[in-house]
Amino acid sequence: MARRKDKIKLGAFLLFTGHHVAAWRHPQASVGTEVENYIELAKLAEAAKFDAIFFADGVAARLKDVDAASRKAHSGVYPFEPITLLSALSSITKNIGLIATASTSYSDPYNLARQFGSLDRLSGGRAGWNLVTSSDPDAAYNFGHDTQILHGDRYDRAEEFADVVLGLWDSWEDDAFVRDRESGRYFDPEKLHRLDHKGQHFKVRGPLNIPRSPQGRPVVVQAGASEPGKELAARTAEAIFAAQITLEEATTFYADVKGRLGKFGRSHDDLKILPGIFPVIGRSESEAQEKFEALQELIQPEVGLNLLSQLSGVDLRSYPLDGPVPLDPPVTNAGKSRQELLLDLARRENLTIRQLYLRIAGARGHWQVVGTPTQIADVLEERFENYGADGFNIMAPIMPGGLADFIHLVVPELRRRGLFRQEYEGSTLRENLGLKRPPNRFSAGNAVAAE
C-alpha cells in the first residue's frame, strides 16, 4: 500500500491533572487549577507544532449525595469555563488551534455563535467548537429540566442548533465592512445576511453582530459515534474526536463516516478523524509498565466503579466487583456509543467489573498504549497509514509530565519517519489541519448551494 501524502495531525487534550482517573493523586501531577498551569501546557504544545489544544467541558458537578467516590475525585469540577480560558490563552499563543467544548442541549445558539466568533477573531482564526449533546444526567437540573433530555431529542435539537450557528457565522461577507471615513459608509448592506430562522427548537432572526474571522468561521468538531452522531458529523463536522480501541474498529469507523460525506456534497478531505490515545511512555518497556502500574495502584475501587457507571449510564453498585459485567444492561439515555464500546470490550476480553474499570481508568474508553517511543510511533503510523485516523488527540496520563514525554520522546520519532510537520503550514487552524476556508453561503454564487 502506498504511503499517505499528508501528515499526522496532533491535538493536546488538556485535562488539568491528567487523564488517568487517579492522576490527581500522583506526586508528579500538577494541581492544575491556575491559569499559569495552562499557559505552560499551551506553550509546550505550540513549541512542538501541535495543531490544537482541546478542552472538554461539563455543566454539572457530579456529586450524587456527596458519596465516597465523589469525595475522592474531581467529579466534573473544572478550574475554568473553556471559552474563557482559551480567550486568555489566545493572547500568549500564535499558531496553535484553540478548541473548546460547548453543549447544544444547554446553550443558546446565538450566544454560542457570538462567543466562538469572538474567540476566532481574538486568536486570528484559530478557534474550534466541539459540539456535544451532553449525556450527563445531572446537567439537566441546572437548566430548568426535571429529568435528562432523551438521547433522540438531544440530537434533534443539535441538528437544528448546528444549522443556526453555521448560518449566523455567515451573517457578514468577508468584505462587508468598508469603513470609508470620507463617505461615511461603514458597511455594505448588500453583504449583510439576516438568518430569519424559524424551526422546531429555535427562532433566530440574526444577523450575528460579530464579523467573519480570518479563517471564515470556527472549525466544527464532534465526538459522537452513535448513528445520529455519525450522521450529524458527516453533514456538519470538520473534525471528529473518535474513540476506537482496535485497528479494525478504527478503520471501520473511518470508512463509515468518510463514506457518508458524499451525500452531503462533501469530499474525503473535508473531515479529519482524530481518535484519542492515552500513551504511557518509557525509555524501556519495563519503565513504561512501571509508570502505568504506579497510576493503577492509586485507583480506589469506589472511584473506578463510579467512573464505569458514569460512562456506561448504568448504576453498577449493586453488582459484585469481581463478577461479570452485565452484557444486557437496561437501555441508557446516556452516551450510547460509549456504552456499546465498553460492553464490546468486556465481552471481547471476558472482563469482570473490576477488570473493566481498571482497563478504562486511563483512557476512559479511548485507545491506550503502554510502551517505548518507538513502539508508540509504530502503532500511530500503522493506524494512520491504514486509514484508521488522520491524526490523534493526545490524552496524557498526568500533566505536565505525560505531555512532555510524548513531545520529547515520540514527536522526534514521528518527524524522523516523515509523519509530522517541522513547522506550521499556516496561521489559522484550518490551514494547519488542511481544511478549506468555507465561502459565505449567502454570497453571490453560493446562495443556491445553501438552500
Side-chain angles (χ1 to χ4, degrees):
M1 183 175 63
R3 291 196 64 177
R4 293 177 63 162
K5 295 180 180 179
D6 56 339
K7 295 187 185 297
I8 287 173
K9 307 301 179 185
L10 289 178
F13 183 175
L14 305 183
L15 193 60
F16 54 108
T17 57
H19 282 272
H20 194 279
V21 71
W24 72 273
R25 299 187 66 204
H26 195 283
Q28 294 176 12
S30 166
V31 175
T33 57
E34 304 304 321
V35 70
E36 289 79 12
N37 302 128
Y38 295 96
I39 290 173
E40 175 188 5
L41 294 169
K43 287 184 174 180
L44 186 66
E46 184 168 61
K49 314 302 179 188
F50 271 51
D51 290 84
I53 53 177
F54 175 98
F55 287 100
D57 192 35
V59 287
R62 296 185 294 272
L63 303 174
K64 288 184 182 295
D65 303 321
V66 196
D67 61 19
S70 297
R71 295 196 300 270
K72 296 179 179 181
H74 57 77
S75 299
V77 179
Y78 292 85
F80 300 100
E81 185 280 320
I83 302 175
T84 308
L85 177 58
L86 287 175
S87 296
L89 296 180
S90 72
S91 67
I92 57 91
T93 55
K94 184 178 180 181
N95 294 103
I96 198 164
L98 309 167
I99 302 174
T101 297
S103 171
T104 58
S105 297
Y106 307 117
S107 303
D108 178 89
Y110 190 92
N111 282 341
L112 186 144
R114 192 165 184 253
Q115 289 168 320
F116 277 95
S118 294
L119 177 60
D120 210 23
R121 288 182 51 77
L122 278 173
S123 62
R126 294 185 284 131
W129 167 37
N130 181 40
L131 183 163
V132 300
T133 62
S134 297
S135 60
D136 184 355
D138 292 323
Y141 307 128
N142 294 331
F143 294 89
H145 298 276
D146 294 324
T147 187
Q148 184 182 18
I149 303 173
L150 295 176
H151 184 274
D153 293 343
R154 296 200 301 267
Y155 271 97
D156 284 344
R157 177 184 167 99
E159 290 273 358
E160 186 179 342
F161 195 110
D163 288 342
V164 173
V165 170
L166 291 169
L168 287 171
W169 281 336
D170 280 342
S171 293
W172 304 91
E173 295 184 35
D174 293 318
D175 55 352
F177 293 91
V178 294
R179 299 184 180 91
D180 187 334
R181 291 177 175 174
E182 186 173 339
S183 68
R185 189 165 178 251
Y186 194 79
F187 69 88
D188 181 351
E190 295 296 317
K191 297 184 178 182
L192 160 66
H193 305 283
R194 233 172 62 178
L195 186 62
D196 288 322
H197 173 88
K198 296 178 182 178
Q200 178 183 355
H201 299 280
F202 305 107
K203 184 177 180 180
V204 182
R205 187 188 71 173
L208 189 68
N209 59 348
I210 300 286
R212 288 192 108 209
S213 84
Q215 68 170 348
R217 57 172 169 79
V219 172
V220 178
V221 183
Q222 287 180 235
S226 64
E227 187 61 27
K230 287 186 286 190
E231 278 292 288
L232 180 60
R235 187 171 70 85
T236 65
E238 294 161 294
I240 296 181
F241 180 28
Q244 289 81 43
I245 296 175
T246 68
L247 176 61
E248 181 182 5
E249 290 170 342
T251 55
T252 299
F253 178 83
Y254 188 101
D256 181 0
V257 178
K258 295 264 187 171
R260 299 173 189 237
L261 296 174
K263 67 182 178 182
F264 299 110
R266 307 181 68 198
S267 71
H268 185 276
D269 293 329
D270 290 338
L271 175 66
K272 306 299 179 183
I273 295 181
L274 310 170
I277 176 173
F278 175 89
V280 184
I281 308 158
R283 296 182 186 276
S284 65
E285 288 185 50
S286 60
E287 181 186 344
Q289 196 61 42
E290 286 171 8
K291 284 184 175 182
F292 180 62
E293 291 302 329
L295 279 165
Q296 292 290 86
E297 289 172 3
L298 297 175
I299 302 170
Q300 295 152 299
E302 56 269 41
V303 173
L305 183 61
N306 191 51
L307 173 69
L308 187 55
S309 296
Q310 287 172 15
L311 292 176
S312 69
V314 179
D315 188 347
L316 297 171
R317 287 177 294 183
S318 62
Y319 294 87
L321 273 180
D322 295 308
V325 176
L327 298 180
D328 56 346
V331 175
T332 178
N333 194 30
K336 293 184 182 296
S337 61
R338 189 55 55 92
Q339 184 192 70
E340 182 179 349
L341 184 151
L342 294 177
L343 293 179
D344 285 347
L345 175 61
R347 187 180 297 111
R348 185 169 61 245
E349 300 186 10
N350 195 28
L351 301 176
T352 66
I353 290 176
R354 188 192 304 273
Q355 289 169 333
L356 182 58
Y357 79 60
L358 287 171
R359 185 77 164 73
I360 67 161
R364 301 191 306 282
H366 288 273
W367 186 25
Q368 179 173 289
V369 183
V370 181
T372 66
T374 300
Q375 289 171 331
I376 289 173
D378 284 344
V379 294
L380 294 180
E381 181 175 9
E382 177 186 43
R383 193 156 294 197
F384 176 71
E385 293 291 353
N386 284 280
Y387 294 93
D390 296 309
F392 305 93
N393 251 329
I394 307 306
M395 303 168 60
I398 61 171
M399 296 291 183
L403 181 60
D405 283 346
F406 186 88
I407 287 170
H408 298 318
L409 298 175
V410 179
V411 168
E413 180 62 21
L414 294 176
R415 287 194 172 121
R416 188 187 67 78
R417 303 180 189 200
L419 292 168
F420 187 61
R421 65 166 64 90
Q422 297 286 345
E423 294 294 337
Y424 284 108
E425 293 82 8
S427 60
T428 71
L429 178 56
R430 289 183 182 280
E431 289 170 333
N432 292 321
L433 285 176
L435 296 169
K436 293 179 294 194
R437 187 182 191 277
N440 188 301
R441 68 177 67 188
F442 302 115
S443 62
N446 294 313
V448 174
E451 292 176 358

